[in-house]
């Protein structure tokens, strides 16, 4: 007797891309992207992202900043997602989302300050609702779910956007977060930056899943894969997802496929483990180059604009470095200032010991 079983659930994960590596359209652009101003903005912010990022690495190399996680080569993800968010939405980032911070109006010097070891970098001048950068892997997903629950409780139409790396999706925190988001139909978007490496661990050693977006299926959370080096695909997928989320349809996952074209952080040397042929392949997939090629082919960008942009960006970054270097250092006791609203008694004691050891020369 042959056993009979019927299909009770099926799923598929789609992949979206508009611009190929040569800057050619792979399909017609939707209405939302038929907007030269928006396309130029996406391009300009990716260039700003790359320029400020290279400077951050240089600052670390010259002893002027601490360990820094570059977003070099992955600019399309942060910029594309951030540009599709509304100002009142809440960004709950991890450490490779500089582009989202910048395109939302965050300051470059805030990023330099944070990685220079100064917590004042997380006290954003304008983006008061956005969260500080999370370094403990996947913890930000749980924070995002908490914020989304609060927004739902208050019946607001805002959305929460959080990012996570491919390696981070192996953690329990990620699965717990998407599960609760699904059960409660929370207004939260999870963006997976699949750069194919978790420091030196390749994706193939993280999971047997064909896609990371499909991890959401088990939690009832729909998702899709996009070309993470195509800022247009990242923007459009985010825009569509946020529209659904605001309409109360619940959480969503976007897996953005890219490659880590930089060291994991300035404390790493990727040449020791990334196959050089992969690096060569992905060099050709550069997100900035392909958009520039496309814009030029549409007569939306020329050499003059390119020169003016690079001059402007160089000036902006130099100003940010100046602002970063000019801010007076905090007193040593500042290490006690940022975790608790009211300091617990044992930390008050430690603070007193520190103050005493600093002697009379210390002024708070
Ligand atoms: C809870 C926790 N465990 C370990 C680390 C050390 N760590 C820092 S980055 C990283 C790899 C993360 O890889 P992935 O999630 O793919 O993000 P990517 O850095 O590639 O953007 C690890 C293990 C950490 N920061 N937090
Ligand atoms: Mg990774």
């Amino acid at each position: 007797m042959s056993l009979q079983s019927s299909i009770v659930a099926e799923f598929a994960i789609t992949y979206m891309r508009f611009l190929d590596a040569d800057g050619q359209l792979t399909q017609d652009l939707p209405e939302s992207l038929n907007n030269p101003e928006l396309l130029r903005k996406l391009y300009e912010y990716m260039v700003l992202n790359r320029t400020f990022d290279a400077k951050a690495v240089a600052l670390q190399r010259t002893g002027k900043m601490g360990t820094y996680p570059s977003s070099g080569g992955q600019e399309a993800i942060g910029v594309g997602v951030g540009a599709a968010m509304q100002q009142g939405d809440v960004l709950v980032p991890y450490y490779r989302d500089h582009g989202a911070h910048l395109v939302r109006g965050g300051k470059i010097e805030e990023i330099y300050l944070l990685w220079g070891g100064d917590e004042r970098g997380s006290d954003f001048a304008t983006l008061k609702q956005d969260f500080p950068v999370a370094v403990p892997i996947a913890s930000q997903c749980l924070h995002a779910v908490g914020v989304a629950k609060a927004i739902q409780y208050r019946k607001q139409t805002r959305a929460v956007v959080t990012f996570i790396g491919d390696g981070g999706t192996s953690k329990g925190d990620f699965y717990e977060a998407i599960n609760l988001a699904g059960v409660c139909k929370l207004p939260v978007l999870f963006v997976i930056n699949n750069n194919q490496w978790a420091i030196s661990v390749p994706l193939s050693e993280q999971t047997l899943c064909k896609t990371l977006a499909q991890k959401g299926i088990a939690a009832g959370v729909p998702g899709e894969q996009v070309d993470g080096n195509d800022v247009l695909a990242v923007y459009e997928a985010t825009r569509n997802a946020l529209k659904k989320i605001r309409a109360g349809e619940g959480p969503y996952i976007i897996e953005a496929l890219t490659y880590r074209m930089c060291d994991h952080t300035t404390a790493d040397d990727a040449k020791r483990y990334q196959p050089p042929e992969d690096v060569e392949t992905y060099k050709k997939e550069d997100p900035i180059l392909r958009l520039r090629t496309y814009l030029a082919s549409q007569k939306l960008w020329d050499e003059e604009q390119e020169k003016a942009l690079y001059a402007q960006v160089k000036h902006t970054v130099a100003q940010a470095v100046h602002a970063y270097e000019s801010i007076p250092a905090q007193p040593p006791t500042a290490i006690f200032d940022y975790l608790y609203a009211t300091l617990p008694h044992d930390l008050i004691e430690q603070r007193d010991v520190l103050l005493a050891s600093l002697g009379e020369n210390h002024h708070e």
Side-chain angles (χ1 to χ4, degrees):
M1 197 179 82
S2 68
L3 288 176
Q4 293 227 328
S5 46
S6 51
I7 294 169
V8 290
E10 275 185 302
F11 70 89
I13 298 294
T14 58
Y15 172 83
M16 182 159 65
R17 164 192 247 195
F18 293 106
L19 272 187
D20 69 15
D22 299 323
Q24 304 286 321
L25 282 188
T26 56
Q27 57 175 315
D28 289 343
L29 291 183
E31 207 37 52
S32 55
L33 289 168
N34 226 331
N35 178 346
E37 216 171 290
L38 170 66
L39 301 195
R40 279 193 291 260
K41 176 180 166 184
L42 294 171
Y43 179 68
E44 288 163 5
Y45 272 95
M46 287 200 293
V47 170
L48 178 65
N49 187 159
R50 185 160 299 180
T51 311
F52 111 88
D53 185 88
K55 189 69 191 175
V57 173
L59 286 169
Q60 190 280 335
R61 296 290 189 237
T62 50
K64 294 178 181 162
M65 219 178 70
T67 299
Y68 172 75
S70 171
S71 49
Q74 297 150 87
E75 297 87 354
I77 301 179
V79 170
V81 170
M85 290 174 70
Q86 291 181 0
Q87 209 57 24
D89 292 341
V90 182
L91 177 68
V92 186
Y94 84 126
Y95 48 79
R96 225 180 279 288
D97 304 326
H98 314 118
H101 183 68
L102 296 180
V103 78
R104 279 171 65 64
K107 294 184 165 195
I108 297 174
E109 56 264 40
E110 292 170 339
I111 303 173
Y112 289 158
L113 265 179
L114 174 67
W115 297 100
D118 191 327
E119 290 295 336
R120 288 175 294 182
S122 297
D123 184 13
F124 308 134
T126 51
L127 302 167
K128 292 295 182 194
Q129 75 286 1
D130 286 1
F131 269 46
V133 167
V135 173
I137 303 297
S139 59
Q140 71 280 7
C141 295
L142 294 167
H143 302 158
V145 162
V147 177
K149 185 73 197 160
I151 285 173
Q152 185 185 58
Y153 181 76
R154 294 174 185 173
K155 299 189 172 18
Q156 297 172 334
T157 48
R158 304 158 77 190
V160 182
V161 177
T162 190
F163 290 80
I164 184 165
D166 47 294
T169 69
S170 302
K171 284 209 68 197
D173 306 44
F174 172 72
Y175 290 104
E176 290 160 28
I178 59 173
N179 189 63
L180 191 61
V183 166
C184 299
K185 276 194 138 188
L186 297 179
V188 53
L189 171 65
F190 299 90
V191 179
I192 302 171
N193 172 335
N194 182 356
N195 62 17
Q196 308 187 47
W197 292 93
I199 315 186
S200 56
V201 179
L203 186 62
S204 58
E205 287 179 36
Q206 288 283 349
T207 182
L208 256 185
C209 277
K210 193 160 181 193
T211 73
L212 299 177
Q214 78 198 56
K215 291 190 175 193
I217 303 295
V221 180
E224 69 186 289
Q225 206 178 53
V226 303
D227 180 345
N229 282 8
D230 175 7
V231 72
L232 306 186
V234 175
Y235 175 87
E236 183 63 10
T238 306
R239 202 184 71 86
N240 288 334
L242 291 179
K243 213 154 84 184
K244 287 189 215 152
I245 287 170
R246 283 203 185 84
E249 292 183 30
Y252 199 81
I253 293 180
I254 293 173
E255 175 189 356
L257 268 179
T258 184
Y259 193 86
R260 212 193 64 223
M261 294 299 290
C262 48
D263 294 332
H264 169 70
T265 66
T266 48
D268 175 47
D269 178 7
K271 283 199 277 311
R272 292 176 59 183
Y273 54 84
Q274 283 186 338
E277 58 278 15
D278 284 9
V279 178
E280 279 312 306
T281 305
Y282 279 98
K283 240 185 219 165
K284 297 183 196 123
E285 297 274 336
D286 189 80
I288 295 182
L289 198 57
R290 75 171 72 175
L291 184 54
R292 185 184 161 193
T293 306
Y294 174 69
L295 289 175
S297 75
Q298 300 303 301
K299 308 257 177 293
L300 296 173
W301 197 254
D302 60 26
E303 269 311 312
E304 285 288 292
Q305 285 165 301
E306 181 81 352
K307 265 196 216 147
L309 172 64
Y310 273 85
Q312 169 65 45
V313 158
K314 199 173 154 196
H315 178 69
T316 305
V317 170
Q319 273 187 326
V321 172
H322 181 70
Y324 163 60
E325 290 185 330
S326 309
I327 186 166
Q330 290 186 292
T333 48
I335 57 171
F336 295 101
D337 290 346
Y338 297 97
L339 195 54
Y340 295 98
T342 314
L343 212 56
H345 70 272
D346 54 330
L347 289 183
I348 293 177
E349 232 173 86
Q350 289 183 29
R351 190 174 185 278
D352 288 345
V353 171
L354 177 63
L355 271 175
S357 76
L358 292 171
E360 285 171 9
N361 296 330
H362 174 67
H363 303 285
E364 273 198 88

